[in-house]
Amino acid sequence: RPAGFDPLVGDPAVVAEAPGRDPAHATLTLTRGLLMLLPRRELEGVVAHELAHIVNHDSRLNTADAALIATLRLPIGIVSGAYRILREAHAGLAILFLVGFFGFLGLLGIAMVDFFVDPETAQLPRWIISRQVFVAMSPFFMFLGAPALGLFIRQAIARQREYLADAEAVLLTRDPEGLALALTKIGAWRGPGRLAVGPSASHLCIVDPLRPDSLWWDRMFPCHPPIHDRVQLLARMGTGIAESALQAAAAEGANAGHRATVLAQPGLQESS
């Protein structure tokens, strides 16, 4: 690793990821919150999962996928960012902005309809009609179709790689229950965190870091399989996992997230 590089991120968020362009230049990163949440046995499963991503060259694939999604999301990201800024200033300004934006797209749609119902359109060469269709549809694809296409590609690729990384992590640790308990705790944790992992890079984490209240178009194409399905697969790879152990792990993760939320309050931070 580079001199002076620390793979531990001093952040209360519960995140593990392994970005990089190839195994020789990949980085396995853990947060302080993850080390505080998981015991050694479960942490070994998380580290083995991320090492499996690196060995399978998933780190390069996921990094390239993150760059692709960030590029495709740039137009709608600008619109959503402007909406959030205006909403913080005044809710009415944000509503007017959305009305103007979608009104502009609506006018483009009306213009396209008028073009096709015009009797003179049938007399035009085919290449002119194709050009008009492309020009009329390009704003819709740029703001709506391209981000959805990027998220669909990520979902098709990343979800299957997560199953493979889970399976190879079990081959390394010989402990499917440890990884299953770790996934259950991480999935139940709902504490605060300053680690900014946006939708474009959420597939780099071991579980989906997006909050339940995130934008609906970010939750439409989840980048990770459901934790329940991953746990059931891990249970079949061993002798099974007791339901009581999973429930206790979920309760422990939820309680740890609640404690982190309480301790993150400004008054408690100053007193500590």
Side-chain angles (χ1 to χ4, degrees):
R1 68 185 187 186
F5 177 79
D6 188 358
L8 176 62
V9 179
D11 192 280
V14 178
V15 176
E17 57 184 17
R21 69 175 185 268
D22 54 50
H25 299 88
T27 301
L28 198 160
T29 303
L30 306 176
T31 59
R32 178 171 56 86
L34 184 70
L35 298 181
M36 295 176 62
L37 176 65
L38 302 180
R40 181 182 181 88
R41 175 196 180 191
E42 298 169 9
L43 191 62
E44 288 177 350
V46 172
V47 172
H49 174 95
E50 298 301 331
L51 289 177
H53 276 310
I54 294 175
V55 172
N56 294 333
H57 293 265
D58 292 340
S59 55
R60 176 173 57 186
L61 178 64
N62 291 337
T63 303
D65 197 12
L68 173 64
I69 295 173
T71 302
L72 296 178
R73 283 177 52 89
L74 182 59
I76 193 64
I78 295 175
V79 173
S80 61
Y83 169 76
R84 292 191 185 97
I85 294 175
L86 294 175
R87 185 180 59 184
E88 294 178 358
H90 193 279
L93 293 177
I95 295 176
L96 288 176
F97 172 76
L98 289 181
V99 171
F101 173 73
F102 287 106
F104 171 73
L105 293 182
L107 290 176
L108 288 178
I110 294 174
M112 182 177 63
V113 172
D114 291 340
F115 174 79
F116 285 109
V117 300
D118 190 348
E120 297 181 357
T121 301
Q123 308 300 325
L124 296 176
R126 185 179 297 273
W127 69 270
I128 295 181
I129 298 178
S130 301
R131 186 191 64 178
Q132 291 299 112
V133 171
F134 176 79
V135 171
M137 294 300 298
S138 58
F140 295 93
F141 178 78
M142 181 174 61
F143 286 102
L144 301 176
L149 177 63
L151 294 177
F152 177 77
I153 294 174
R154 181 189 67 179
Q155 184 186 43
I157 296 175
R159 288 168 66 92
Q160 297 303 320
R161 307 304 293 181
E162 292 298 323
Y163 284 125
L164 178 60
D166 287 344
E168 295 199 358
V170 174
L171 294 178
L172 290 174
T173 63
R174 305 295 180 178
D175 185 11
E177 183 176 0
L179 179 56
L181 295 177
L183 293 175
T184 303
K185 287 183 182 180
I186 296 173
W189 192 88
R190 290 293 183 271
R194 298 184 302 276
L195 193 64
V197 181
S200 301
S202 59
H203 58 284
L204 296 175
C205 303
I206 189 170
V207 299
D208 198 338
L210 296 182
R211 300 180 63 86
D213 57 351
S214 58
L215 298 177
W216 64 269
W217 56 69
D218 292 332
R219 294 182 280 108
M220 184 180 300
F221 299 100
C223 57
H224 289 72
I227 292 181
H228 178 268
D229 294 346
R230 296 172 67 180
V231 170
Q232 293 301 316
L233 179 62
L234 291 170
R236 292 197 297 269
M237 295 183 67
T239 58
I241 304 174
E243 187 64 27
S244 59
L246 295 175
Q247 293 177 357
E252 184 177 348
N255 292 334
H258 177 70
R259 289 194 301 269
T261 302
V262 172
L263 293 175
Q265 296 178 4
L268 292 178
Q269 285 183 344
E270 293 176 2
S271 61
S272 60

